[in-house]
Amino acid sequence: MSDIQNFNSYDPFADVGNSIDSASQQEYIHIRIQQRNGRKTLTTIQGLPASFDKKRMLKIFKKDFACNGTLVEDEELGSVIQLQGDQRTKVMSLLVEEGGVDKKQIKIHGF
Amino acid sequence: MAEIEEKLQNMEINEEEVDLSEFDPSLKKKKKKSKKTEEAPVEESAEVAQEAAPAADDADIDPMAMFGEKKKKKKKVKVEDDASAAAPAEGGEEGATGDVGESFDFGDMKKKKKKAKKVDFSAFEDGLDQEGEEGGARDPDDIFAAEDEEGAAGRSGAGKAGGADAEESWVGTNRDYTYTELLSRVFKILRQNNPELAGEKKRYTIVPPSVMRDGNKKTVFANVADICKRMHRQPEHVIQFLFAELGTSGSIDGSQRLVIKGRFQQKQIEAVLRRYIVEYVTCKTCKSPDTILTKENRLFFLQCEACGSTRSVSAIKSGFQAQTGKRAAQRA
């Protein structure tokens, strides 16, 4: 019976509320790049979910990408991971593969 | 005898498979390439297509003869496919509108990047010509490209004509029609009944951003105003997006050029612009770039002029800005 869509007990007019799903859909992980002097660049990862241990992530990032990095606390945006060099695609693939983050949740900025 | 019939059937299936694989938007790329390289073969193939159809007829009547010719015929069929591929190619281009990235000329440019730089520039200029406007002086290369385009149009027309000849060829005979024939028939009828559907699609094009270095650390983006005008967007909005995405700052100089801090190449700016177009210019529903951006109590709304749909777009946020440069300078 439940195969028939009309029989589902789902009320389309009910208030959406802030279910966890829609909230997490809205929260993007922003991966940005910033130019420094010369050929040097900086990658920032902003908006990581609170459930992630950023300190450990930073450690893994640093080791995997062979770069230095730091954890910066921002008043509005929370803690942001900073990495040296352009690590955007690498961060993305690592987050998707190891972190179980949905690809749609990640936004890569920059050129 | 049964064996032969089986083979015949197999062959028809093969034909279909070939067609199916060719009838997809990625064909566009193929067509573009052939446009530049092959001049004569296509004309030939149109002729061969005409020949191939009667050959197929013969085959039906006299299986033994066909058996003898089998190898040859197979080749011919392949060529015929190529010729008729020119017709669906246009459909493919229309279908490509679905893909936002493809429908801009930028998309083409990216694909062609591997070739000479001149060529992709001319592709851009080509798009301009279609819009009826001209951007700057044209070099002989451009004209050449334009001629190519015309030649291709003529040729695809020739291919169509060949297809049309072959198309009704099953009428008198008792053989089955093939996929190719039916396909060309559909396209012919479509073209006859609603020419606006099959007509040349007006493509949304934008001039390539002219980007040059200003000194060692600054980049000048000269034709922002022009690009903004083409997109029907406020320059402020576009510039805000550019700065947010590139993570820099800059200013507009006296002659309406944008000076960006940092070194950027044309393709980098182009990539960002493309993203801007996807995000803030094209209608998500109908892919039309004909939209207006309005602000209603602090929220931006994108209204499509073509289909009338409205959607909200996110405001531009620059996000986290890491500190670069000297801390002492920051404090001062």
Side-chain angles (χ1 to χ4, degrees):
Chain A
M1 257 326 199
S2 58
D3 297 344
I4 303 166
Q5 259 187 344
N6 290 355
F7 284 22
N8 283 348
S9 57
Y10 169 70
D11 180 11
F13 296 106
D15 277 338
V16 181
N18 25 349
S19 62
I20 304 155
D21 194 46
S22 69
S24 65
Q25 211 70 7
Q26 221 54 27
E27 295 296 314
Y28 285 114
I29 297 173
H30 296 275
I31 303 174
R32 291 199 170 77
I33 192 164
Q34 230 174 316
Q35 278 194 339
R36 283 182 53 216
N37 39 1
R39 287 171 52 94
K40 290 170 185 169
T41 49
L42 211 71
T43 309
T44 61
I45 305 148
Q46 171 208 320
L48 287 166
S51 57
F52 283 22
D53 185 354
K54 277 142 206 129
K55 243 177 151 179
R56 263 185 68 197
M57 282 175 76
L58 179 66
K59 223 170 192 178
I60 296 164
F61 282 148
K62 280 163 74 167
K63 195 145 200 173
D64 275 21
F65 310 148
C67 67
N68 209 345
T70 179
L71 201 59
V72 182
E73 294 294 335
D74 193 272
E75 292 116 38
E76 297 154 45
L77 308 160
S79 46
V80 177
I81 292 181
Q82 248 181 53
L83 298 169
Q84 287 180 4
D86 184 0
Q87 318 286 357
R88 286 174 299 165
T89 45
K90 286 189 234 167
V91 168
M92 163 123 155
S93 57
L94 194 96
L95 279 176
V96 170
E97 278 163 29
E98 312 279 330
V101 183
D102 191 12
K103 218 172 185 173
K104 283 178 205 144
Q105 236 177 299
I106 303 174
K107 262 198 177 170
I108 293 189
H109 299 262
F111 30 83
Chain B
M1 200 62 188
E3 207 180 270
I4 293 163
E5 259 177 29
E6 200 181 282
K7 265 190 184 139
L8 230 162
Q9 240 163 19
N10 274 349
M11 254 174 65
E12 291 211 340
I13 289 162
N14 275 349
E15 254 178 63
E16 271 181 31
E17 268 171 17
V18 168
D19 269 320
L20 283 175
S21 69
E22 288 203 314
F23 187 62
D24 63 357
S26 68
L27 182 130
K28 195 178 156 196
K29 202 169 163 188
K30 223 189 221 164
K31 192 195 161 196
K32 276 267 152 73
K33 223 188 269 166
S34 69
K35 213 184 272 173
K36 294 261 133 90
T37 49
E38 302 170 16
E39 276 287 331
V42 185
E43 247 133 58
E44 257 176 45
S45 67
E47 280 171 25
V48 174
Q50 280 176 355
E51 279 171 29
D57 279 1
D58 291 346
D60 236 45
I61 295 155
D62 187 6
M64 280 321 275
M66 168 244 151
F67 205 60
E69 277 190 337
K70 196 180 158 198
K71 269 245 168 76
K72 223 165 153 193
K73 198 209 153 191
K74 211 156 205 175
K75 225 187 235 163
K76 271 182 186 168
V77 168
K78 199 76 190 225
V79 179
E80 187 193 0
D81 283 344
D82 278 352
S84 60
E90 277 180 31
E93 250 168 27
E94 274 166 31
T97 349
D99 196 337
V100 177
E102 299 254 340
S103 66
F104 308 118
D105 236 19
F106 279 165
D108 284 353
M109 197 161 164
K110 206 171 185 184
K111 259 177 217 157
K112 280 187 188 164
K113 250 281 115 107
K114 269 150 207 154
K115 286 188 198 165
K117 205 153 195 176
K118 260 238 168 93
V119 177
D120 50 47
F121 213 83
S122 70
F124 251 115
E125 222 92 298
D126 254 6
L128 281 188
D129 292 344
Q130 278 176 20
E131 272 200 344
E133 288 174 60
E134 209 153 304
R138 309 173 81 214
D139 49 332
D141 227 32
D142 271 348
I143 297 160
F144 194 71
E147 271 172 10
D148 253 5
E149 197 86 34
E150 274 164 39
R155 258 180 285 131
S156 70
K160 250 175 268 154
D165 278 347
E167 156 191 315
E168 307 272 331
S169 59
W170 69 79
V171 168
T173 63
N174 59 345
R175 79 192 175 85
D176 240 350
Y177 26 75
T178 62
Y179 179 83
T180 341
E181 284 164 347
L182 285 184
L183 192 67
S184 52
R185 189 179 135 82
V186 160
F187 270 95
K188 194 186 160 204
I189 291 166
L190 187 76
R191 247 172 271 276
Q192 272 172 358
N193 291 348
N194 23 348
E196 76 276 5
L197 255 181
E200 283 306 301
K201 193 174 67 73
K202 219 178 135 191
R203 281 168 76 202
Y204 182 58
T205 50
I206 278 197
V207 261
S210 80
V211 174
M212 52 212 141
R213 187 71 67 72
D214 179 19
N216 199 23
K217 286 188 172 173
K218 281 187 217 150
T219 310
V220 176
F221 179 7
N223 55 355
V224 230
D226 184 30
I227 286 177
C228 292
K229 220 166 70 192
R230 271 168 201 275
M231 293 192 297
H232 307 291
R233 282 304 104 96
Q234 291 294 315
E236 290 80 41
H237 191 254
V238 179
I239 290 164
Q240 200 192 346
F241 182 81
L242 276 174
F243 286 163
E245 281 294 297
L246 299 171
T248 51
S249 56
S251 55
I252 295 183
D253 73 355
S255 49
Q256 291 299 303
R257 300 184 308 172
L258 181 66
V259 183
I260 309 168
K261 262 193 202 166
R263 295 179 207 176
F264 298 99
Q265 288 165 342
Q266 192 204 333
K267 62 176 179 193
Q268 294 173 322
I269 302 282
E270 207 184 287
V272 176
L273 272 178
R274 206 177 292 146
R275 228 177 302 155
Y276 179 84
I277 289 168
V278 170
E279 182 97 33
Y280 292 101
V281 180
T282 46
C283 170
K284 281 268 196 296
T285 321
C286 68
K287 310 287 183 227
S288 158
D290 193 11
T291 54
I292 38 174
L293 192 70
T294 48
K295 196 176 185 182
E296 280 169 42
N297 43 23
R298 285 202 262 168
L299 292 171
F300 279 106
F301 286 97
L302 194 71
Q303 189 170 20
C304 180
E305 296 278 80
C307 71
S309 75
T310 314
R311 73 175 169 108
S312 68
V313 288
S314 55
I316 298 166
K317 273 186 247 143
S318 62
F320 176 74
Q321 285 292 319
Q323 192 201 358
T324 54
K326 289 209 171 82
R327 277 170 209 273
Q330 203 88 5
R331 234 177 290 142

